[in-house]
Amino acid sequence: MDKAPSQPRTVAVVGSGMAGLVTAHLLHQDSQRRFRVTVLEKNKQISLSAESIAIPSNEQDEPVWADVPMRAFAGGFYHHLIRMYDYLGINYHSQPFLFSFTRLPRHPQRETIPSPRMIYASNFHRLPPIPRTQDLVQWMLEAAFALLCYFWFTICVFLVTPVAEDLRTGSAGESLDAYLRRIHLPQTYVTVYLLPLISSVCTCSHEELLQFPASDVLDYKRRTHQQQHYVVSGGVRSVQDMLLQGLDVRLGVELTSVSPQDTGVDIQYRAPDGRQQSEHFDLIVLAVSPDIAASLYPRLNKPLSSIPTTTVETVAHTDDFSIRPMLHATASSSLLSLSLGKKKSPATQARTTQRIHILSTHLTTESVHEQPNSIFVTTNPIFQPDQSKVIRSARFTRVLRSPHSRMLVNSIFQDPLKRSSSTLQSWRSGDHGVYLAGGWCWDGMVLLEGCIVSAMRIAKDLEVCIPWQMEE
Ligand SMILES: Cc1cc2nc3c(=O)[nH]c(=O)nc-3n(C[C@H](O)[C@H](O)[C@H](O)COP(=O)(O)OP(=O)(O)OC[C@H]3O[C@@H](n4cnc5c(N)ncnc54)[C@H](O)[C@@H]3O)c2cc1C
């Protein structure tokens, strides 16, 4: 039996990442007060900024928060995220980057890390320093090669569309690997520059990245081309604080199963004291990764189990050993002051060019993001930093993409008419009172924008007004 209009529907939002918090915020602010929202999180902290680190400051400045993992965004691609930040009054600033590319041998040794092969300034915002350890003529040839390949790739991104999936036959679309071969992008450029750069965004191995749908990478490149990158000035902690306002949150609660009933959904969970408990809600939003959603709700096991995932490690530390060759190679550059953190306050440093060092083997990429005050955040470490210099390390599940998983995801979220017969799922998000949200719950790279789009989709389905869309 439906509840009387005066009685709000109870909603459990499982997961306190960006997707869970935005969904909970949207339903909670419903002008007709039709939902009573409870956020359930298995960890003891809200996860959106749980791993962020405060950069110590000796000066009068406010402490600087370095987001771990990185929560950067760019114009063009993050349309809804930016609209939401503007609506919430979040301060963010443009963040130029300098990327250094170092090619490691097949069996890299900590003691013999080579100096960088090339340095690239995001959006060509400045002339990058020439590594002084390189022979100038050789460097100029390499730079000309890299530039030519970059321009060829950019032209293809705009003019050569990837082969689309065939909804009638169910054949999946083109992978990045097949696309790069089709446009004849030189293999050296692909392995030394392109894959390491994209895999530092997607934080996965080169082989996993090559299996991504080409459309994901092309769409990201097309939409972010010549656009600024941004970061939230006070770190995503400020976003978290805004989204949490007025919400009922239960930490240390681990959901163990979901069982839809004739009306509403029964859930089982492990309470903070370790006891198994059950509770009934009218609706449930699983804002978790697909492997977890599949394990909680057997109905989702088949469609979600073939969505690839991986685990990513990030380490915040003060061990500069892996970038010493880079520091040596650019020692004459004025940029050295950035890494040594002497000339500028942490707040000012955070707003000027930041350096990301990309060290790659033929298989994988480690990225080292320099933070103010000589703090480094290494993602996917090939070399483990000295344990005594580690501030904090964390592991994250990263949802990957493939042409096949893309069709499955679209099938769960799209209009049935647009879904292919081979991947057509009888279950759609929202059926039987169970919704899915997350960075992976849309047709694109698994980034923060997907969290906002999937949360907005749930709000729309429940006829909740989205405040940052009102003037659109
Ligand atoms: C290293 C790294 C760098 C990144 N850099 C960027 C970037 O610069 N820009 C960008 O846009 N994106 C970036 N991303 C991607 C982005 O961070 C993710 O897409 C996004 O955070 C996913 O959010 P989510 O809410 O979908 O899931 P999550 O943040 O994974 O949240 C899921 C939550 O569910 C909780 N949970 C899981 N199981 C249960 C259970 N059984 N019961 C209760 N709670 C449970 C988890 O504890 C977690 O809090 C990066 C990701 C990584 C790993």
Side-chain angles (χ1 to χ4, degrees):
M1 211 168 60
D2 279 350
K3 290 197 170 180
S6 56
Q7 248 181 313
R9 296 169 89 186
T10 52
V11 185
V13 174
V14 183
S16 65
M18 182 68 97
L21 293 186
V22 176
T23 311
H25 174 84
L26 282 172
L27 302 189
H28 175 72
Q29 59 83 54
D30 173 45
S31 55
Q32 298 170 54
R33 301 267 173 256
R34 287 172 298 162
F35 305 96
R36 200 165 74 232
V37 184
T38 307
V39 177
L40 307 176
E41 167 57 54
K42 72 172 180 183
N43 289 327
K44 299 247 160 55
Q45 292 178 65
I46 300 289
S47 82
L48 183 57
S49 81
E51 303 299 336
S52 299
I53 49 171
I55 308 281
S57 167
N58 304 325
E59 300 159 41
Q60 299 299 311
D61 285 322
E62 302 235 323
V64 174
W65 282 89
D67 283 324
V68 180
M70 202 174 173
R71 309 287 191 178
F73 54 103
F77 186 80
Y78 290 86
H79 175 71
H80 298 98
L81 180 89
I82 291 174
R83 294 295 305 261
M84 183 186 81
Y85 282 177
D86 289 344
Y87 157 76
L88 293 174
I90 301 295
N91 286 324
Y92 53 89
H93 60 267
S94 64
Q95 180 61 74
F97 293 106
L98 266 190
F99 298 98
S100 74
F101 292 86
T102 301
R103 185 65 171 169
L104 300 170
R106 267 171 193 266
H107 304 290
Q109 303 288 320
R110 199 183 146 98
E111 299 73 31
T112 53
I113 297 173
S115 60
R117 194 159 161 162
M118 189 60 59
I119 300 171
Y120 160 75
S122 56
N123 288 331
F124 299 100
H125 71 272
R126 50 156 288 163
L127 272 180
I130 301 171
R132 61 175 194 169
T133 41
Q134 292 254 8
D135 173 74
L136 188 63
V137 175
Q138 213 177 344
W139 179 86
M140 284 171 76
L141 287 173
E142 178 79 13
F145 167 75
L147 267 179
L148 271 177
C149 293
Y150 171 80
F151 287 132
W152 174 238
F153 178 62
T154 307
I155 289 168
C156 292
V157 162
F158 285 97
L159 297 181
V160 183
T161 45
V163 177
E165 69 273 15
D166 186 334
L167 294 184
R168 281 174 301 106
T169 62
S171 72
E174 194 170 25
S175 68
L176 179 63
D177 190 24
Y179 182 85
L180 294 177
R181 286 174 199 281
R182 187 155 65 89
I183 63 168
H184 300 289
L185 198 60
Q187 196 59 16
T188 312
Y189 178 77
V190 170
T191 54
V192 175
Y193 298 109
L194 189 69
L195 292 181
L197 185 64
I198 310 176
S199 91
S200 74
V201 176
C202 300
T203 62
C204 61
S205 74
H206 298 175
E207 191 47 47
E208 287 163 338
L209 181 57
L210 285 168
Q211 300 317 312
F212 273 39
S215 56
D216 275 21
V217 178
L218 269 58
D219 183 52
Y220 181 82
K221 169 69 187 149
R222 211 179 292 124
R223 288 163 66 178
T224 57
H225 184 65
Q226 291 192 333
Q227 297 278 348
Q228 301 265 22
H229 287 87
Y230 299 95
V231 291
V232 175
S233 304
V236 285
R237 170 171 287 256
S238 58
V239 179
Q240 179 175 300
D241 291 346
M242 293 299 291
L243 292 174
L244 276 174
Q245 279 178 15
L247 288 181
D248 173 22
V249 182
R250 291 193 228 157
L251 298 174
V253 173
E254 182 172 6
L255 196 75
T256 51
S257 80
V258 171
S259 326
Q261 305 297 315
D262 289 343
T263 57
V265 185
D266 285 347
I267 62 165
Q268 303 267 328
Y269 58 86
R270 202 170 295 113
D273 61 8
R275 277 187 300 170
Q276 198 69 27
Q277 298 199 354
S278 58
E279 205 167 324
H280 182 85
F281 286 88
D282 294 319
L283 298 169
I284 183 157
V285 178
L286 297 176
V288 296
S289 53
D291 50 338
I292 303 282
S295 70
L296 293 172
Y297 183 21
R299 182 79 195 258
L300 297 182
N301 208 303
K302 191 163 168 269
L304 299 190
S305 55
S306 52
I307 297 179
T309 59
T310 189
T311 306
V312 185
E313 186 184 6
T314 61
V315 189
H317 59 94
T318 54
D319 189 357
D320 70 354
F321 78 95
S322 67
I323 61 160
R324 265 181 225 149
M326 162 74 190
L327 296 182
H328 176 63
T330 56
S332 57
S333 157
S334 59
L335 281 161
L336 188 64
S337 59
L338 256 182
S339 77
L340 297 180
K342 283 182 184 152
K343 291 194 178 158
K344 298 184 177 106
S345 70
T348 315
Q349 282 181 43
R351 284 163 177 73
T352 51
T353 302
Q354 289 195 353
R355 306 206 293 193
I356 298 184
H357 307 283
I358 294 175
L359 297 98
S360 61
T361 65
H362 62 300
L363 296 175
T364 190
T365 291
E366 157 182 318
S367 69
V368 185
H369 184 178
E370 280 188 56
Q371 300 289 340
N373 277 2
S374 302
I375 292 175
F376 307 100
V377 178
T378 298
T379 302
N380 244 340
I382 294 173
F383 307 102
Q384 284 297 336
D386 182 341
Q387 271 309 307
S388 64
K389 295 181 177 172
V390 171
I391 301 167
R392 161 190 293 236
S393 70
R395 296 182 88 81
F396 302 92
T397 297
R398 193 82 205 244
V399 184
L400 306 173
R401 299 266 292 170
S402 71
H404 180 67
S405 77
R406 175 180 180 226
M407 290 174 86
L408 281 172
V409 170
N410 288 350
S411 169
I412 289 169
F413 294 104
Q414 270 182 7
D415 178 339
L417 295 175
K418 292 190 191 149
R419 298 187 286 164
S420 108
S421 52
S422 72
T423 51
L424 188 67
Q425 300 300 322
S426 51
W427 188 87
R428 290 192 66 220
S429 179
D431 285 355
H432 312 113
V434 182
Y435 283 96
L436 293 172
W440 59 278
C441 299
W442 76 318
D443 189 11
M445 296 248 273
V446 182
L447 295 167
L448 293 172
E449 180 71 359
C451 299
I452 317 300
V453 169
S454 59
M456 288 169 58
R457 191 191 295 121
I458 295 173
K460 268 187 209 148
D461 206 61
L462 295 170
E463 294 171 0
V464 172
C465 167
I466 297 162
W468 54 89
Q469 262 198 333
M470 282 184 11
E471 309 94 55
E472 280 189 351

